Structure formats: structure tokens, C-alpha cells
Amino acid sequence: MHNYLEGLNEQQREAVEHIDGPLMIVAGAGSGKTKVLTTRIAHLMHHGVDAFNILALTFTNKAAAEMKERVEHILGNKEARNLYIGTFHSVFARILRAEANKLGYPNNFTIYDTDDAKSLLKTIINEMNLDDKHYKPAFVYNRISAAKNSLLDLIAYKEDRAIQQEDARGNRPMMGDIYDAYAKRCFKNGAMDFDDLLFKMYVLLTNFPDVLAKYQHRFKYILIDEYQDTNLAQYAIIKMLGAVNENICVVGDDAQSIYSFRGATVQNILQFKDDYDDVKIVKLEQNYRSTQSILKVANNIISNNKNQIPKNLWTENKEGEKIILARTMTDNDEGRFVADAIQEQKLRNHYLNKNFAILYRTNAQSRSFEESLRRMNITYKLYGGVSFYQRKEIKDYLAYMRIVVNTQDEENLKRIINYPARGIGKTSLDKISIKANETNKTFWDVIANMDAYGLRGVGGNAVESFVLMIRGFQTMLEKQNAYDVAFAVGKNTGLVQDLYNDKSVEGLARYENVQELLNSIKEFTETPDEEGELRDKSLGSYLQQITLLTDTDNDKDPNADAVKLMTIHAAKGLEFSCVFVVGLEENLFPSSMSMYTREDLEEERRLFYVATTRAKERLWVTYANSRYRFGQLVSNEPSRFIDEIPDAHLDKTFTGSSHRAGNTPGSFASNRSQVSEKPSSLKKIAEKIQQKTAAPEHKPSADFKADDPLAMNVGMEVEHQKFGFGKIMQLEGGANNRIATIQFGEGHGQKKIMLNYARLRIVNGN
């Protein structure tokens, strides 16, 4: 076995060599916590601790496999395979299978995944004849899940006055009965859901002292990764298991506690030192990931939280570039700015697509970035979700609009004829399909003439009502623009209301996504084309544009060279050379739902801290003056978190009136005050048209022929086919990626041009 302590810094070694007694390792971002955790396990085994007596709990199977592999590599033998290393759920499932008879379950009990659980709840809700608008399976599932993770059994749930009042206010007084029926049905089926693996483990240890004693003496050393993400149930189980030996080592960072919506509580790590006597605390503050500039910004941001364990990240890495702050006029401009910046960095600094990550607060924000990256042919991959236009709620909404424009679209027609549910069942749809096939008619032809095809009464009045509704939308096509028709579709079909009624986390995200779709349509109808002329604002024109954007191959190689798009929550634990943290606006980041208590606001700040510490070399923070919300163009105030970034570490070149380089940077303080002075949408369009027409149209010279980019130097006068004549003010980049700053005439101003793509003619050399 090689010297496994070699390469550890002083604090890491201190954490590894501490054997007995409670230990809290406060591991800052990028400080090598996984290395410390695995080396500590190897150190315990090297000093005679049996692998069967070590329990290590993580939150992902990938992390567990990596830990076991590293320990095995350090020890150079197969003994590591005897370790109890795994996720909370996998380890507890293993124990529950061994002890299942104590709880009345078979040893081979079924584990229901989320879809299984929601399907069972849907059946129970239907059997109880309850209104599924109030008792949506997704909401009910999340409600029961939260109860189990808070260790509330049925009796406790029904006796909790606050919970009962909340259910009553939400017109869901039968929630307790559904919980009861669901628990009984799972037990009858010999099944546990994902949350039961925690809840039943707690019940097992609480109700059977002999079982508790058995595992207390087996697991003499307990290690928990990402302790800041544990919930009440996990905390209670760990507390019981470690009560005899108290050889508990927790590793985590309170500054990265961002999962309260899943039941995690930062108090678990903040109060660890109060749970045990003589707790040893080791702080890992040396960061091996980021530049000094990025870390100074991160430290300053998190210092504004009052409820935290003090720490100060530092690094021996280089100072690095300043953080770029970019202010754009709209969210679409924000998308274009990010795509432009990625292209520029690839040319100037030879980055690959996979070196970039775009991090946002909500999945709905991905749209403008996806569209801009596609237009520039930059390969990207969406993580933690599906592409915006591939999400079910978006496809449902677009299906309605496509049917309004083209009723012969049978696939989309079948998709939405009974969504939201209107009583047109599978049997009725099968009869209609058979008749359409027999008569060689389209599906729409049949449902529009049910009597003529001998299908009177099939589907009741629901089919006739559906046809009349679609025809009503069609009467709007000639006189109304795309947004007006789309808004009417969402409202009158009940689709938007159906999504609004689902108050679960997933339901809220789906509702935000359809609002973002409406926002994009609104902007489409109010934005001129590239030449300043108002475009065709019809629904058909919009759908054609969307088709061009979405008809791409989404099944890309997961290891392909692609820009990563994801929420900040999904990015935790990852790192990238270049990171864009986008949408830094009040009511978006921090979220409007997280500004009422200090606890919620501090979690939002921790989320921003996590985002900044994902970056290794370069970091951009962007925000838009305005974005569409619920169909209205609203002005945005820059996020309060921007004010927490020290000016000394900010590059504000892009906070002027335009996101393009070369504009005179404005005072950031004055930019904040100007947000409320955003011109109206019509005025904005008029100004864009005026700006376009103010620039005289340039006709290339008769002898125009592009010259070699390598022949161009500062001071030369050149001709561009569109922007006319200009003077080269500055040259950057290497021979294969030269970028010129050129001062053109009135109406075009100063622009940065990539010479390999621009095709310039030298007019006057020097």
C-alpha cells in the first residue's frame, strides 16, 4: 500500500487522522472533500477497523461507487467491497429487506418509484370520487412525501392543526384519508415507496430496540457526505445509529445548503457541534478549483448571510480575470449575448463547447439560450430536464395551436382532444379512428361530422364542444396576432388553469414554462425583423419559426462537445472552465417566493454562491432590463446579489446601453436607476426601426474582393459589404482567430469583427 497521506494539505491530513469521537469537516467548495472522505475510510481500515463496521452514506450512487473505488485503490485489496457505502435509500433498503418481517413486509418487498406511487394515488383518488382538480396525484404525492420526511405518520398528520388548516384552505380536507388509504394499499401490496425507505427505517429503529442495538454495535464508525442536505428523518436515524459509539464524521458545507424544498435543513450541520460533546471541527478552506478573483467574489457574497459557519476560501491559483457583469435590454438579448461570448471565447482562447456552462434559476429560462445557441450552430446539451420545446406542457400547448392552424394534423389532434380531460375516453377515440380508416377520411373530418358517419352519441357532447371550440379559435386567425390567439387557446381550453391548479414543485415549474412560451410569443409579435420592419405576426408564422428551431436531433452523444445548460440546483458538485450565471434580477434570482423570510433569502444567496463556485477560470453574471412575464413586458431591477460583488473584481464593460463591446460603459449605480425608465414596447420598436433606417444602406464597391485577414493591420481603412467603410482600431487573437475592432461610419459605430468570417476589402493600407 502506497503512502496514502501524501499530497494532503495540513487540514486535510488532520481530518483524515482523527479516528475516535465526533468530527465535523466543514469543506468549502473545491477543497477536496471527496479525497478526504475516502482517505479517511482507508485510514480507519489501515488502523484495524473492520470494513463491516464502517457505514458511509452519500446522496448519489455515482458518489458511492467512486468512494468505494478510491478506497479499494488506496488499500490495494478487495476488502473495501465489505464496506457499507451507498446512498441513504440504498443502504436502508438493504437493512429493511433483512428486517422486513419485523414490520410485516416480505423480504422481497417492491419499491415503488415516483410514477408507480402517483399512479396508485390516482387510482385511490378516483375510487374515493374526489375532484382531481383539488387532489392532483402529483400534489398529493409531494404532500405525503413531505410528511414522511418530517416523520409524520397518519395519526400525527391528522393531529397537526397547522397541516389540517392548510388542507382545509386548499379545499383538500380528505388529504389525511388519502394518506391512510395509500399507506394501507402499499402495505397490502407488499410495497414501499422511496420515502418509506427513510420513514420505515426510522420506525424499525424506534419500535424494535434489539434491531437498533444490533446496528449500533455493527456500525462503529459512521461517515456522512453532504451533511447539509440531510432532512429530519435522515438526521434522526443517524442520531440513533451513532448514539453508542459517537464515532460520527459529517462532511459538508453550510454555504451549499440549497435543497430546503426537498426537506433538507441547514440546521442539521449548524447545530452538529451542539449534538455531541467534544466535537472536533476541521475547516477545509484551500480551494483547488477556482481563480483568486472568483473566490474573493464568492467569499464576499456569502459573508452577507448571518446564519452560517464562518470560513474564508483561498487558493494558490492565479488571480485570474475579473467577473464580467453584463446588462442587456431583454431576455432574448441576454441569450444572444451569451452565445456571442461563447463564440468569442472559443475563437480567442481556444475553449471547447464542453468548457462552458449556462446556469439559471428556473428551467423556463433555458428558451432564449437554446434559441441563440441553435442560431449560431453551437452544440449544447440540456441537463436536469428536457429541451424547452420538448417538455410535455409545451408540446401540449403547441399541439393546440397547430390544430387551430391545421386541423388535419392527426397526431397533434389525438394528443389534445381529451386534454385537459373532457370525457372523451379511449373507447370513443378508438371508434372514431376505425371510422376514419374505413372511410379514408381524416380524424378531424369524422369528429366534425359525427352524425354523417353514424357516430351520434359517441363521446357525448364533448366531441361537438371540442370541434366548436377549435372553430372558434380559427375565426381569430385572420384578425388576431399569434399572442392573442395563443392566449385565448390557453384560457378557453383550460390548459393553463389545469397547470395553475397543480401547486406541487413540478406543477409550478410546468406553469412557469407555459408562461415563458406565451412570453416568447408576445415578444415575437412586438419585435421587428433584422431590417427593422414589423414581421408577419400571425400564429402560422410563429409556428413555422418554432418548427425551424425544434426540428433538430436531440439524441446527441452524452460525451459530445456541447455547452451545458442547467439549473443551479442541478449544477451542484460540478465544475466548468467558464460559467454564465444568468437572470440576476429581483423576483427571479432571488425568487419572488423566497423574499419573505431571512431563512429563504439566505438560501437564495447560498444558491448564488454555489453558482459562482462552479467556475474555474472565467465567470459571467448577466441580467436583462426587461423580460416578458405572463404576456407583459416588465421592467426588472437588478438582483440585490449583484451589489454584493466587490467593484474591484467586476468588469462592467457590458453594463452600458448595449451589451456590445465598444460602447461607453455607464455607471452601474445609474443603470439600476434607469431600469424603471424602460420605454414602452411600441416605442422600443419605433426606436429600433429609426436606428436601422438612420444607417444609410451600403452597396459594395464594383471591384469588391475580400482580402487575406493576415494582411490587415491597425490603422488600415477597410470596406465591409454591409457596414460600409471603416478603420481598424485594434486587433486581438492569434493568426487563426483574429478579431478586429473597427470604427465604421454614422449609423453603425464601432464593432468587433471576426476577420475569418467577415470578408473585408483593404481600401487604404499603411
Side-chain angles (χ1 to χ4, degrees):
M1 183 170 85
H2 64 280
N3 185 5
Y4 56 89
L5 298 177
E6 202 171 279
L8 298 176
N9 65 37
E10 183 181 342
Q11 288 72 33
Q12 290 174 333
R13 184 162 183 156
E14 182 182 4
V16 166
E17 293 183 325
H18 177 83
I19 293 181
D20 294 319
L23 170 67
M24 179 166 70
I25 304 172
V26 182
S31 62
K33 71 175 180 64
T34 304
K35 180 179 182 180
V36 170
L37 200 57
T38 53
T39 308
R40 177 176 162 78
I41 294 172
H43 185 72
L44 289 172
M45 294 174 65
H46 182 63
H47 281 73
V49 178
D50 194 318
F52 286 99
N53 295 139
I54 299 174
L55 170 65
L57 299 171
T58 71
F59 278 85
T60 67
N61 289 310
K62 181 181 177 182
E66 182 182 355
M67 285 172 61
K68 190 171 289 189
E69 184 179 329
R70 285 198 191 188
V71 173
E72 193 169 309
H73 175 72
I74 293 172
L75 295 175
N77 58 48
K78 307 299 183 183
E79 188 65 19
R81 297 181 180 181
N82 297 325
L83 291 164
Y84 267 76
I85 294 182
T87 65
F88 283 88
H89 294 86
S90 65
V91 170
F92 294 168
R94 182 177 172 185
I95 294 173
L96 284 168
R97 288 200 187 282
E99 310 291 344
N101 64 305
K102 297 277 198 310
L103 298 173
Y105 281 84
N107 294 106
N108 60 344
F109 62 80
T110 299
I111 299 176
Y112 282 163
D113 63 19
T114 302
D115 289 338
D116 295 329
K118 289 179 181 178
S119 178
L120 176 55
L121 283 167
K122 183 177 182 179
T123 299
I124 292 170
I125 290 166
N126 289 336
E127 290 174 354
M128 295 175 70
N129 295 316
L130 296 174
D131 185 350
D132 59 6
K133 292 181 180 179
H134 293 299
Y135 296 95
K136 285 186 171 293
F139 177 87
V140 174
Y141 171 80
N142 286 331
R143 190 80 168 151
I144 294 174
S145 172
K148 289 178 180 177
N149 285 317
S150 297
L151 301 179
L152 293 175
D153 60 13
L154 177 64
I155 295 174
Y157 186 94
K158 288 190 170 184
E159 289 180 351
D160 191 305
R161 186 175 179 183
I163 290 177
Q164 295 306 308
Q165 288 177 339
E166 187 176 344
D167 286 343
R169 284 195 300 270
N171 291 319
R172 289 181 286 267
M174 299 295 289
M175 272 296 307
D177 295 294
I178 298 174
Y179 186 0
D180 185 23
Y182 175 69
K184 289 177 178 176
R185 191 72 62 88
C186 284
F187 183 76
K188 179 182 177 182
N189 294 347
M192 295 187 193
D193 66 20
F194 208 55
D195 300 299
D196 279 328
L197 298 177
L198 299 182
F199 184 68
K200 298 296 183 184
M201 181 69 181
Y202 174 79
V203 171
L204 176 70
L205 299 181
T206 303
N207 294 351
F208 299 92
D210 57 324
V211 175
L212 173 60
K214 172 183 174 181
Y215 289 101
Q216 283 176 333
H217 288 87
R218 173 175 296 177
F219 300 133
K220 296 178 180 179
Y221 292 87
I222 301 175
L223 302 92
I224 301 101
D225 192 16
E226 303 286 9
Y227 190 64
Q228 76 280 350
D229 294 333
T230 54
N231 59 29
L232 177 61
Q234 290 161 331
Y235 168 83
I237 294 168
I238 293 165
K239 197 84 165 57
M240 285 191 285
L241 287 174
V244 172
N245 297 293
E246 292 195 348
N247 292 324
I248 295 183
C249 169
V250 300
V251 184
D253 181 6
D254 60 294
Q256 297 186 66
S257 179
I258 58 174
Y259 294 118
S260 65
F261 67 94
R262 295 181 186 169
T265 171
V266 70
Q267 294 303 317
N268 288 352
I269 192 168
L270 293 177
Q271 296 177 357
F272 183 81
K273 63 182 183 299
D274 300 322
D275 289 336
Y276 302 93
D277 295 329
D278 302 322
V279 173
K280 183 177 183 60
I281 300 176
V282 178
K283 295 181 182 180
L284 306 182
E285 297 173 301
Q286 182 174 0
N287 176 283
Y288 294 91
R289 174 189 300 157
S290 306
T291 63
Q292 293 179 31
S293 184
I294 291 170
L295 288 187
K296 288 172 184 175
V297 167
N299 283 331
N300 209 78
I301 290 166
I302 203 63
S303 68
N304 290 277
N305 273 7
K306 294 184 177 181
N307 198 18
Q308 64 171 306
I309 300 171
K311 72 184 75 66
N312 187 57
L313 293 184
W314 61 276
T315 185
E316 293 179 348
N317 294 341
K318 62 184 180 180
E319 177 68 23
E321 304 288 332
K322 287 185 176 182
I323 281 67
I324 295 176
L325 177 64
R327 165 183 178 261
T328 62
M329 296 305 291
T330 69
D331 48 345
N332 276 358
D333 288 337
E334 184 181 37
R336 285 189 286 270
F337 170 81
V338 170
D340 286 347
I342 290 173
Q343 189 78 318
E344 181 183 357
Q345 287 295 320
K346 286 169 61 180
L347 289 169
R348 181 179 295 181
N349 295 307
H350 307 292
Y351 284 114
L352 301 174
N353 288 329
K354 63 184 179 182
N355 298 136
F356 297 91
I358 303 172
L359 308 182
Y360 34 75
R361 180 64 180 82
T362 67
N363 274 312
Q365 291 171 256
S366 74
R367 178 191 59 81
S368 64
F369 304 102
E370 291 188 66
E371 291 180 2
S372 295
L373 292 170
R374 280 175 173 165
R375 288 191 181 105
M376 294 188 69
N377 291 318
I378 297 175
T379 305
Y380 71 88
K381 183 173 178 59
L382 204 75
Y383 286 79
V386 294
S387 175
F388 183 83
Y389 291 105
Q390 295 301 314
R391 293 166 185 159
K392 179 184 181 300
E393 60 275 13
I394 301 302
K395 294 182 75 172
D396 289 339
Y397 211 142
L398 290 175
Y400 265 109
M401 290 187 277
R402 286 176 173 138
I403 289 304
V404 173
V405 172
N406 174 23
T407 54
Q408 308 308 310
D409 185 345
E410 185 168 328
E411 290 305 310
N412 279 308
L413 181 56
K414 288 181 177 179
R415 182 183 184 95
I416 48 86
I417 191 171
N418 196 43
Y419 175 71
R422 51 178 58 92
I424 306 175
K426 184 178 183 300
T427 302
S428 297
L429 294 176
D430 288 343
K431 289 179 180 179
I432 295 168
S433 291
I434 291 170
K435 182 60 68 175
N437 291 332
E438 287 177 350
T439 58
N440 198 29
K441 296 292 183 180
T442 67
F443 198 89
W444 173 264
D445 288 336
V446 175
I447 66 172
N449 302 279
M450 295 286 278
D451 287 353
Y453 290 102
L455 295 176
R456 176 189 290 273
V458 173
N461 296 326
V463 173
E464 182 181 358
S465 297
F466 175 79
V467 171
L468 290 174
M469 178 178 67
I470 297 299
R471 284 176 170 163
F473 296 143
Q474 289 178 317
T475 64
M476 303 174 65
L477 289 176
E478 288 188 12
K479 297 181 179 179
Q480 304 294 323
N481 65 32
Y483 175 77
D484 293 335
V485 180
F487 183 85
V489 167
K491 180 179 179 182
N492 295 306
T493 60
L495 188 150
V496 173
Q497 185 65 43
D498 186 68
L499 293 169
Y500 177 78
N501 290 336
D502 185 352
K503 302 300 183 183
S504 67
V505 174
E506 295 88 348
L508 178 61
R510 286 191 288 268
Y511 178 70
E512 288 177 344
N513 287 337
V514 297
Q515 292 301 331
E516 178 62 20
L517 177 66
L518 287 170
N519 294 341
S520 73
I521 301 174
K522 183 73 168 181
E523 185 157 14
F524 170 83
T525 63
E526 295 188 352
T527 304
D529 63 20
E530 290 302 316
E531 299 306 319
E533 297 180 4
L534 293 176
R535 55 158 63 98
D536 177 358
K537 300 184 292 183
S538 69
L539 182 61
S541 177
Y542 173 77
L543 291 174
Q544 180 178 331
Q545 174 194 314
I546 294 302
T547 301
L548 293 174
L549 282 174
T550 56
D551 281 352
T552 57
D553 180 15
N554 289 311
D555 295 323
K556 300 180 177 69
D557 180 356
N559 298 315
D561 179 30
V563 175
K564 277 76 172 176
L565 279 73
M566 63 185 74
T567 64
I568 302 169
H569 284 99
K572 186 169 176 290
L574 304 178
E575 59 182 40
F576 310 93
S577 296
C578 303
V579 171
F580 294 85
V581 186
V582 299
L584 262 292
E585 301 143 26
E586 289 291 294
N587 297 315
L588 180 57
F589 196 7
S591 165
S592 58
M593 296 185 295
S594 303
M595 299 167 65
Y596 300 107
T597 67
R598 178 174 297 280
E599 290 76 17
D600 288 343
L601 185 59
E602 291 199 347
E603 176 151 335
E604 289 289 293
R605 186 176 286 111
R606 292 195 294 269
L607 195 59
F608 186 36
Y609 172 84
V610 167
T612 59
T613 54
R614 299 311 93 196
K616 296 196 290 185
E617 298 170 14
R618 285 179 165 83
L619 174 65
W620 288 257
V621 174
T622 70
Y623 68 99
N625 268 5
S626 62
R627 68 176 67 235
Y628 281 89
R629 291 186 183 176
F630 306 101
Q632 299 295 318
L633 186 68
V634 297
S635 296
N636 302 317
E637 181 183 355
S639 170
R640 68 192 69 192
F641 297 151
I642 293 176
D643 289 334
E644 297 172 1
I645 303 176
D647 282 350
H649 301 292
L650 273 182
D651 177 348
K652 300 181 185 177
T653 302
F654 301 98
T655 59
S657 59
S658 169
H659 69 256
R660 300 290 181 188
N663 290 302
T664 304
S667 160
F668 183 58
S670 66
N671 286 335
R672 286 181 65 95
S673 66
Q674 291 169 5
V675 171
S676 60
E677 299 173 15
K678 174 76 177 68
S680 68
S681 299
L682 292 178
K683 184 178 179 183
K684 170 186 169 186
I685 293 171
E687 288 174 349
K688 280 193 173 184
I689 295 172
Q690 186 177 7
Q691 289 168 3
K692 290 283 184 180
T693 56
E697 183 176 352
H698 177 73
K699 293 184 179 179
S701 303
D703 61 343
F704 186 94
K705 182 180 179 182
D707 288 309
D708 184 356
L710 294 177
M712 297 178 188
N713 294 306
V714 174
M716 282 185 172
E717 292 182 8
V718 295
E719 181 185 13
H720 186 279
Q721 288 177 299
K722 180 177 180 181
F723 303 131
F725 298 95
K727 184 176 182 180
I728 299 177
M729 310 301 292
Q730 183 181 353
L731 284 171
E732 304 169 78
N736 296 320
N737 62 344
R738 303 185 86 196
I739 299 172
T741 301
I742 304 176
Q743 182 67 49
F744 290 99
E746 184 180 356
H748 292 298
Q750 195 175 88
K751 296 183 180 295
K752 283 202 171 188
I753 302 289
M754 298 173 185
L755 295 183
N756 281 352
Y757 300 92
R759 291 178 54 79
L760 296 174
R761 181 178 76 90
I762 298 174
V763 177
N764 183 17
N766 60 357

